[in-house]
């Protein structure tokens, strides 16, 4: 199987979208909805969407693995945003009648400061050596997840830099119907993007862990391929999301052969998310840590240590795992 694309920028919808003056179900206090029409977008057609690989869109926060301090490191998403004055100018421009013109940014002066270790995301446009903000006025980027950084403590809980391993959820190689939680070398994940999911991320739509025993995991983008997707028609996809067990997911991401990523979210089709019984929670899951080879006493409170105590155990679903050992 070919290596799938990484998420380095905002993904366009597979359909042409339209704005409706109704309160958003996705974002609180947003007075409008962005809904899909029945027309497949030009971007999707140009990327040869019909031969793309459809995968489950997982609801978490985006991460990236690349080198830092000469070793593989987990990086958290941090978009560089405009300062107050520039944001006001940009919003006035968007509401003006001069949208035929292009808004001119001064990247050095218009944006809030970011840590020195911040890097812009790959694939974003450059102008005179500076990254170009996207249509929302943001510059997507990354910051390394340091071990003792409280701001990224949930990111930090899924990696161990001493042994360069990460806690990953994916399909079991020997049984596609079984999920597996394992310790994966960070070197195997280099230049990949992943989704951090769990107790304290995005309202925990998959019901992982609890407040007393939080649980977080990394899911590589493209890990959960969709096998029996209907034709790329609005009503067919709507029926699939509503009526099929496999459709109980946040959305679909198509990985195109040119590396382009195209998505559709349940909200684009007027459907709710989160939902009570997700497809991810319909599959059994096995723990496969195998930490004995490291000959090291992990901190008893860390997730690696707690998972090692239930190594080789099988659970009916993800939300059944409570790490109170």
């Amino acid at each position: 199987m070919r290596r799938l694309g990484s998420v380095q920028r905002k993904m366009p919808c597979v359909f042409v979208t339209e704005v409706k003056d109704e309160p958003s179900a996705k974002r609180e206090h947003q007075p409008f909805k962005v809904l899909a029409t029945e027309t497949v977008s030009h971007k999707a057609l140009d990327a040869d969407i019909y031969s793309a690989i459809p995968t489950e869109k997982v609801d978490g926060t985006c991460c990236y693995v690349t080198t830092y301090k000469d070793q593989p490191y987990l990086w958290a998403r941090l978009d560089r945003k405009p300062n107050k004055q520039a944001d006001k100018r940009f919003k006035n421009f968007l509401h003006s009648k001069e949208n035929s013109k292009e808004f001119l940014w001064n990247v050095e002066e218009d944006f809030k400061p970011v840590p020195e270790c911040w890097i812009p995301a790959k694939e974003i446009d450059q102008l005179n050596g500076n990254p170009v903000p996207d249509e929302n006025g943001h510059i997507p980027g990354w910051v390394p997840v340091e071990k003792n950084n409280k701001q990224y403590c949930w990111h930090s809980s899924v990696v161990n830099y001493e042994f360069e391993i990460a806690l990953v959820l994916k399909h079991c190689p020997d049984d596609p119907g079984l999920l597996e939680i394992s310790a994966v070398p960070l070197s195997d994940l280099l230049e990949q993007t992943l989704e951090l999911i769990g107790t304290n991320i995005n309202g925990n739509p998959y019901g992982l862990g609890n407040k007393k025993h939080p649980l977080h995991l990394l899911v590589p983008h493209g890990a959960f391929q969709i096998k029996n997707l209907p034709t790329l028609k609005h009503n067919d996809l709507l029926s699939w999301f509503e009526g099929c067990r496999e459709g109980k997911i946040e959305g679909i991401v198509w990985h195109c052969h040119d590396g382009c990523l195209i998505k559709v979210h349940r909200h684009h089709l007027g459907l709710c998310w989160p939902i009570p019984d997700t497809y991810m929670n319909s599959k059994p899951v096995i723990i496969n840590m195998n930490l004995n080879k490291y000959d090291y006493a992990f901190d008893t409170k860390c997730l690696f240590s707690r998972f090692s105590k239930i190594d080789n155990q099988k659970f009916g679903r993800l939300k059944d795992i409570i790490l109170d050992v």
Side-chain angles (χ1 to χ4, degrees), residues 72-275:
Y73 243 73
L74 184 69
W75 295 61
R77 178 74 177 266
L78 180 66
D79 287 4
R80 195 171 182 193
K81 298 178 181 179
N83 57 39
K84 200 170 184 178
Q85 295 85 351
D87 189 51
K88 187 176 180 180
R89 281 194 296 112
F90 182 58
K91 285 178 178 173
N92 287 340
F93 167 80
L94 291 178
H95 291 102
S96 74
K97 295 180 180 179
E98 299 181 18
N99 278 345
S100 56
K101 296 180 181 179
E102 189 174 337
F103 186 81
L104 296 177
W105 291 102
N106 183 330
V107 175
E108 294 178 0
E109 296 181 4
D110 287 344
F111 287 83
K112 296 176 183 177
V114 287
E116 284 187 20
C117 52
W118 180 88
I119 59 171
K122 289 184 175 181
E123 301 172 15
I124 63 174
D125 296 330
Q126 299 272 335
L127 181 65
N128 299 326
N130 288 317
V132 176
D134 62 19
E135 67 270 23
N136 299 311
H138 296 177
I139 304 174
W142 310 101
V143 287
V145 174
E146 299 279 17
K147 184 177 180 181
N148 297 315
N149 188 330
K150 290 184 178 180
Q151 184 179 355
Y152 298 109
C153 60
W154 308 122
H155 292 71
S156 183
S157 72
V158 298
V159 289
N160 179 296
Y161 291 132
E162 187 167 355
F163 294 102
E164 299 184 3
I165 51 178
L167 280 173
V168 172
L169 173 70
K170 60 185 189 306
H171 282 300
C172 179
D174 303 323
D175 183 355
L178 184 65
L179 297 178
E180 177 186 81
I181 296 172
S182 59
V184 174
L186 280 165
S187 58
D188 289 358
L189 304 172
L190 272 172
E191 302 311 314
Q192 290 188 50
T193 54
L194 311 93
E195 205 75 6
L196 177 69
I197 62 172
T199 312
N200 297 288
I201 305 295
N202 278 11
N204 194 18
Y206 305 108
L208 272 65
N210 56 42
K211 188 174 181 179
K212 188 176 180 182
H213 304 291
L215 168 57
H216 299 86
L217 300 165
L218 291 168
V219 181
H221 287 142
F224 302 142
Q225 293 189 23
I226 301 170
K227 299 298 182 184
N228 300 304
L229 198 64
T231 54
L232 190 50
K233 293 182 179 177
H234 187 285
N235 287 340
D236 290 346
L237 285 178
L238 183 63
S239 298
W240 181 81
F241 274 114
E242 286 188 305
C244 292
R245 188 173 68 120
E246 293 85 353
K248 293 182 180 296
I249 59 177
E250 185 200 18
I252 303 165
V253 176
W254 283 268
H255 290 251
C256 303
H257 287 279
D258 64 355
C260 184
L261 301 177
I262 309 285
K263 73 177 179 184
V264 70
H265 193 288
R266 292 177 72 93
H267 288 130
H268 286 132
L269 304 175
L271 299 175
C272 290
W273 179 265
I275 54 177

